[in-house]
DNA sequence: CGGCCGCTTGACTATTATCAAAGATGGTGG
DNA sequence: CCACCATCTTTGATAATAGTCAAGCGGCCG
């Protein structure tokens, strides 16, 4: 059986935002008050840029972030998103993508020195961080599968289902989601264009898979079908 | 500047095979003799399957491996390859993809218990393993970029350039590569079909980017142009 | 009220997939 | 040693999916 189709739980998107296992978060939260600060980012401002040295690890408290890379000719690739409760920036000493706030975003900033101290003091902590990175890798593989083989409807379904599951894991309703990102972000995340994303939303509405009252609120009408699509079961829209 | 375009060194493909930093390898090699065995896989045999529990970490001595996943309807996705000197299986306690030998492959098999012992004894070792996973993640992001935004010629160029760079890093000529995999593996790795891969090879030959005397030996004729293509600099084939 | 930004829709194009068949290549057995 | 077969690769013709270009709609804010 294929675990990548069924094991998706709280997370979607790539590693930067999936490093949020409960245990890691708790450990970090415990350390956080000691020498950390709060940071508030207005919409469309950078948290870091590709190539920057890592100075902090962050815990998202509210808002939403977007991780992306640029090709020399301007093509943009969104690697993932981060939402409240996600811990981000664990994965490397050098940022290997840009990070920016998509809306006003509140973060706890933990200096890397404090983070390293915590890691050195507690081997369990280190192991947990490793486990979180392992999750992140698995997540990255899932995304590779999504963008290398799935059709546009399948990709969008995969995206929406992941958001639904994330809601559920956070005690919210899995039957509707609020999209904090624009169509362009979704398109760049799924390897599509805004037009294709828009048309696919329209198609989903037309066949009764979802309903939308605003362009950023999705109500699931047939989550089973969406799951089947997302899993690549070959069924048509 | 974009580091993903320039920092590629020895590795290409996804994490399973990129966990091969020198230091990690040395540490493993030092431990390996104590309680490890050699394993020889004939072509087209599985090393592990998705969902398996991890029992060993392996060092590839010769041959080549392929990491893949399957969608329910049979679509296959190749996540990466492994070559001699690569250390594989570091990233998770549960295999999250299949691994099979593409040709006769010789491996050093280190029981996971021995590996864990090594990690527990030496915090440095653990840190190095973490660093290797960080590399793997970065590698995964590069691959996401490749398959989500690059054209067929750009993808193939990216693949070939990575192989050339790997050769160079191993003291071999960067001007030619032997492909241990079939067209189908390349296609499933790049998110294309065998026909498109084949046509793109033909196109590369026609415009003088490469030469091939056999279908699995590539001689680079214009590596600069290939690099530009691979980096997504927008230049046409 | 008007302009801007983001979303949607339409017409058309292009890239790649699909279907089909014809070379290569390599191994096996007569 | 050669013929045959299976497998892999290449090439061709056609189709489909998604991209591009362009225009219209709608909400929001100055």
């Amino acid at each position: 059986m294929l675990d990548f189709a069924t094991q998706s739980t709280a997370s979607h998107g790539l590693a930067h935002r999936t490093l949020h296992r409960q245990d890691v978060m708790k450990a970090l939260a415990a350390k956080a008050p000691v020498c950390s600060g709060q940071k508030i980012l207005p919409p469309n401002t950078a948290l870091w840029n590709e190539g920057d040295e890592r100075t902090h690890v962050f815990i998202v408290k509210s808002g939403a972030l977007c991780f992306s890379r640029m090709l020399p000719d301007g093509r943009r690739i969104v690697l993932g998103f981060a939402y409240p409760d996600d811990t981000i920036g664990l994965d490397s000493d050098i940022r290997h993508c840009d990070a920016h706030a998509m809306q006003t975003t509140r973060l706890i900033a933990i200096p890397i020195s404090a983070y390293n101290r915590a890691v050195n003091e507690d081997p369990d902590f280190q192991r947990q961080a490793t486990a979180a990175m392992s999750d992140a890798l698995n997540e990255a593989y899932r995304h590779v599968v999504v963008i290398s083989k799935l059709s546009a409807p399948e990709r969008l379904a995969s995206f929406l289902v992941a958001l639904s599951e994330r809601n559920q894991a956070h005690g919210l309703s899995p039957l509707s989601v609020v999209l904090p990102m624009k169509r362009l972000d979704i398109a760049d995340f799924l390897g599509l264009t805004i037009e294709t994303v828009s048309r696919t939303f329209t198609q989903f509405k037309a066949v009764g898979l979802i309903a939308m009252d605003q362009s950023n609120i999705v109500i699931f009408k047939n989550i089973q079908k969406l799951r089947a699509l997302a899993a690549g079961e070959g069924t048509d829209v």
Side-chain angles (χ1 to χ4, degrees), chain A:
Chain A
M1 298 301 111
L2 297 171
D3 68 357
F4 69 84
T6 55
Q7 78 185 191
S8 60
T9 54
S11 63
H12 97 283
L14 293 193
H16 293 287
R17 53 159 302 285
T18 61
L19 303 174
H20 58 67
R21 286 199 165 195
Q22 282 302 106
D23 37 14
V24 173
M25 280 167 45
K26 278 185 202 148
L28 269 174
K31 306 280 176 187
V34 182
C35 52
S36 64
Q38 213 182 92
K39 192 178 175 85
I40 295 188
L41 286 178
N44 300 313
T45 52
L47 178 57
W48 67 64
N49 289 301
E50 191 174 351
D52 285 0
E53 213 166 307
R54 174 172 64 173
T55 59
H56 294 80
V57 168
F58 300 95
I59 302 174
V60 182
K61 300 310 286 183
S62 69
L65 297 153
C66 174
F67 303 100
S68 60
R69 279 187 179 178
M70 275 305 199
L71 289 176
D73 66 351
R75 283 174 284 183
R76 189 183 75 138
I77 296 88
V78 169
L79 294 168
F81 303 102
Y83 310 102
D85 287 348
D86 287 349
T87 301
I88 61 174
L90 283 180
D91 51 298
S92 173
D93 289 336
I94 299 289
R95 304 302 185 189
H96 38 226
C97 64
D98 299 332
H100 76 270
M102 297 187 293
Q103 42 188 241
T104 302
T105 299
R106 203 158 40 85
L107 303 143
I108 305 283
I110 301 158
I112 195 61
S113 55
Y115 171 73
N116 284 335
R117 202 156 41 236
V119 167
N120 288 334
E121 279 167 10
D122 185 353
D124 250 18
F125 189 85
Q126 169 76 9
R127 260 191 294 279
Q128 288 165 356
T130 303
M133 278 184 57
S134 167
D135 288 357
L137 256 176
N138 195 21
E139 195 59 41
Y141 295 148
R142 270 236 300 290
H143 195 229
V144 167
V145 171
V146 167
I147 61 185
S148 74
K149 286 287 170 178
L150 300 192
S151 66
E154 287 171 331
R155 292 183 203 194
L156 188 60
S158 147
F159 175 72
L160 294 175
V161 165
L163 284 174
S164 161
E165 285 172 347
R166 176 167 219 286
N167 263 9
Q168 190 153 42
H170 283 244
L172 304 172
S173 167
L175 293 180
S176 73
V177 293
V178 177
L179 307 174
M181 70 289 287
K182 303 188 186 311
R183 292 289 182 269
L184 182 60
D185 298 314
I186 299 174
D188 286 345
F189 179 61
L190 297 178
L192 301 168
T193 59
I194 50 173
E195 292 94 334
T196 299
V197 170
S198 182
R199 281 187 242 271
T200 308
F201 268 122
T202 303
Q203 189 187 9
F204 281 4
K205 282 186 283 189
V207 298
L209 288 177
I210 62 169
M212 300 176 77
D213 42 334
Q214 300 168 45
S215 72
N216 67 332
I217 298 183
V218 177
I219 296 143
F220 296 99
K221 293 295 186 184
N222 188 345
I223 192 102
Q224 290 313 323
K225 189 68 187 296
L226 282 172
R227 280 184 202 283
L229 267 176
E233 290 177 6
T235 56
D236 220 348
V237 181

